[in-house]
Amino acid sequence: MKEIFENIPKIPYEGADSKNPLAFKFYDAKRLVMGKPMEEHLPFAMAWWHNLCANGTDMFGRGTTDKSFGAEEGTMEHARAKVDAGFEFMQKLGITCFCFHDVDLVPEAQDIKETNRRLDEISDYIKEKMDATGIKCLWGTANMFSNPRYMNGAGSTNSADVYCFAAAQIKKALDITVKLGGKGYVFWGGREGYETLLNTDVKFEQENIARLMKMAVSYGRSIGFTGDFYIEPKPKEPMKHQYDFDAATAIGFLRYYGLDQDFKLNIEANHATLAGHSFQHDLRISAINGMLGSIDANQGDYLLGWDTDEFPFNVYETTLCMYEVLKAGGITGGFNFDAKTRRPSYTKEDMFEAYILGMDSFALGLLNAAAMIEDGRIDAFIKERYASFESGIGAKIVSGEATLKELSEYAENMENPALPGSGRQEYLEGVVNSIMFR
Ligand code: XLS
Ligand code: CA
Ligand code: CA
């Protein structure tokens, strides 16, 4: 078969001193970190939509990047060319997984039966490639936001017919995910939200979303899907207000509707920051609730108020992310680069350099986070910070034996309490710097 990325070799690891743009400087797949190879800590995935489909089109202009891969766009020949390109790309980078939406794989036909036939055909071809290369599917999903029929959402639409169409798409996307052995199935509620409360029955819409998710769980389990369903929280864009605002909101929703046994969260860096949180905040909230499933590894731009889906470059952020991941004991999902090159970065080399940047940034994050844990100063500080709850009245509070009356008497019998110990934030930030730039 003809090579698509002809001038690009398999990307080697060359170390931090390398000036070769097509080499890893920090991602060394077999290097052991805390007793485990980097590649096991960091199961990276390629996002089919950005990498093989997005061509740089934005609201102000046409695409800048040729993603035809030698075939006419909108044809099944092009769908196959994307599979060839994707597998060559992943193999050259040593990426072990991919994620997809149904409509990333094939052009949508006028009639869903024909779209589904095309999905059957392309998934046979993808499966062949997976068997030949060992590359796996991290998760699948259905795109229920691009087509105009979803202008008012899918699960939250006001049209029962559109709701049924969404159900049909989910059913097929689940079939394909199971056929490809996908570990997870994502619900990103792009248009599940509202523009104005004046035309919206929020309670009814949320109940309908939950009904659709329950049907998806029941169907998925019936066809042998044993993986996790994921909600991917995002506060806004495209809707003004989206129901899965952030990790805490999504967890509340899942628990309220009894979906928390089947669902976890897929946390995206750029979505957490749009919600006014740090990436690590949403990771921590998910982890402490037993809901940290998978990660969409990208970054936003603090100067822009929208979802820019950039390749991760901010090593402070990847460090603090990997700190949360290591503390949580790892994730069962993976690290999906839901990221696109900037519009003026339109060459095939740019596609590779972007992934090298992302993989190196996460490798650095992993090394730093492991060093922070091995250093122990942060853990020791936190333990000491709450030490007053380890004995005496503090221990009684934690054990649940204390009453409000008893605490009140305790307070009445003491002088004013001393100020709590210093938070020492600046010291701790200095510890992070001294570890990162060791
Ligand atoms: C968009 C989302 C989307 C999901 C999958 O902002 O990130 O790409 O990851 O539908
Ligand atoms: Ca995403
Ligand atoms: Ca995004």
Side-chain angles (χ1 to χ4, degrees):
M1 185 193 307
K2 199 172 163 297
E3 230 183 320
I4 291 174
F5 303 101
E6 278 171 324
N7 303 320
I8 298 167
K10 174 138 180 56
I11 305 301
Y13 165 73
E14 290 185 356
D17 294 333
S18 169
K19 301 264 188 307
N20 175 4
L22 293 174
F24 294 116
K25 321 297 180 297
F26 305 101
Y27 179 68
D28 181 4
K30 303 287 173 211
R31 175 169 171 184
L32 292 183
V33 180
M34 298 179 99
K36 212 162 84 170
M38 263 192 185
E39 62 186 349
E40 284 179 31
H41 281 286
L42 297 168
F44 290 125
M46 176 193 76
W48 211 274
W49 54 102
H50 282 315
N51 204 43
L52 304 174
C53 308
N55 66 2
T57 301
D58 71 11
M59 276 129 115
F60 301 97
R62 292 195 296 276
T64 54
T65 311
D66 179 4
K67 295 262 170 94
S68 64
F69 305 116
E72 192 191 331
E73 299 200 30
T75 62
M76 282 304 281
E77 189 203 348
H78 182 231
R80 290 170 81 89
K82 288 197 290 186
V83 178
D84 295 339
F87 276 82
E88 185 185 323
F89 184 85
M90 289 185 275
Q91 279 185 290
K92 285 189 165 165
L93 279 157
I95 288 187
T96 49
C97 308
F98 62 88
C99 301
F100 71 90
H101 299 85
D102 46 3
V103 302
D104 304 334
L105 302 183
V106 293
E108 202 178 349
Q110 282 303 324
D111 145 23
I112 192 165
K113 287 194 204 130
E114 170 57 15
T115 307
N116 287 352
R117 194 204 58 74
R118 294 178 184 179
L119 284 168
D120 289 337
E121 181 187 323
I122 207 70
S123 53
D124 284 344
Y125 189 50
I126 295 175
K127 180 109 186 16
E128 266 174 46
K129 293 271 188 182
M130 292 172 74
D131 292 343
T133 58
I135 287 173
K136 297 193 165 47
C137 171
L138 178 60
W139 51 256
T141 187
N143 177 323
M144 303 189 300
F145 44 89
S146 295
N147 192 295
R149 74 175 71 92
Y150 295 122
M151 63 171 74
N152 296 330
S156 62
T157 181
N158 54 311
S159 156
D161 284 357
V162 171
Y163 192 93
C164 294
F165 204 94
Q169 265 190 267
I170 295 170
K171 177 177 175 293
K172 190 65 185 175
L174 270 166
D175 287 338
I176 303 294
T177 303
V178 170
K179 174 172 170 183
L180 301 179
K183 272 186 158 185
Y185 184 87
V186 162
F187 281 86
W188 169 58
R191 296 196 195 264
E192 314 291 25
Y194 62 82
E195 299 293 347
T196 171
L197 284 174
L198 293 175
N199 66 11
T200 305
D201 185 338
V202 172
K203 184 168 185 288
F204 180 72
E205 292 198 357
Q206 293 206 329
E207 284 165 359
N208 260 0
I209 294 172
R211 286 184 192 105
L212 192 58
M213 288 180 172
K214 281 192 178 156
M215 287 187 251
V217 169
S218 143
Y219 179 73
R221 298 305 181 216
S222 80
I223 59 164
F225 177 63
T226 54
D228 288 319
F229 289 86
Y230 299 125
I231 281 188
E232 181 181 319
K234 183 176 179 180
K236 55 186 167 193
E237 201 204 5
M239 299 307 264
K240 183 175 91 169
H241 181 97
Q242 290 180 199
Y243 294 135
D244 304 324
F245 192 91
D246 60 2
T249 311
I251 292 167
F253 171 88
L254 290 170
R255 292 206 172 129
Y256 184 74
Y257 289 104
L259 287 157
D260 51 315
Q261 297 307 311
D262 293 285
F263 273 79
K264 288 196 167 68
L265 301 183
N266 180 41
I267 297 297
E268 175 172 323
N270 202 166
H271 295 180
T273 50
L274 282 176
H277 304 308
S278 64
F279 181 20
Q280 52 275 20
H281 168 90
D282 258 18
L283 293 170
R284 176 80 62 97
I285 295 298
S286 308
I288 62 174
N289 283 284
M291 290 276 190
L292 179 54
S294 203
I295 287 179
D296 268 13
N298 65 11
Q299 76 177 43
D301 185 320
Y302 290 109
L303 302 183
L304 301 176
W306 62 91
D307 190 13
T308 57
D309 283 346
E310 295 176 30
F311 279 88
F313 156 74
N314 181 336
V315 177
Y316 275 105
E317 210 167 74
T318 57
T319 297
L320 296 175
C321 162
M322 290 313 297
Y323 184 72
E324 297 302 325
V325 169
L326 291 178
K327 283 283 189 187
I331 51 175
T332 48
F335 295 80
N336 169 44
F337 285 114
D338 191 355
K340 57 189 177 210
T341 52
R342 296 305 86 193
R343 194 163 179 265
S345 304
Y346 60 87
T347 68
K348 294 197 165 55
E349 285 75 11
D350 288 316
M351 289 169 71
F352 280 83
E353 287 167 16
Y355 269 74
I356 292 169
L357 170 69
M359 291 164 80
D360 271 342
S361 298
F362 267 88
L364 277 169
L366 170 66
L367 292 169
N368 291 332
M372 279 163 67
I373 290 172
E374 278 158 1
D375 173 89
R377 274 176 287 173
I378 294 177
D379 276 339
F381 180 79
I382 291 177
K383 184 160 172 30
E384 176 56 30
R385 187 155 187 250
Y386 297 95
S388 68
F389 286 91
E390 280 174 11
S391 57
I393 193 72
K396 219 168 170 195
I397 294 169
V398 173
S399 72
E401 288 161 45
T403 64
L404 201 64
K405 190 159 167 282
E406 187 183 356
L407 300 193
S408 170
E409 277 160 18
Y410 178 92
E412 282 160 23
N413 289 330
M414 71 178 172
E415 309 269 303
N416 268 336
L419 286 179
S422 165
R424 299 188 73 193
Q425 178 171 334
E426 298 75 8
Y427 156 73
L428 293 166
E429 289 167 347
V431 168
V432 172
N433 271 351
S434 70
I435 292 170
M436 280 182 61
F437 300 99
R438 59 200 180 277

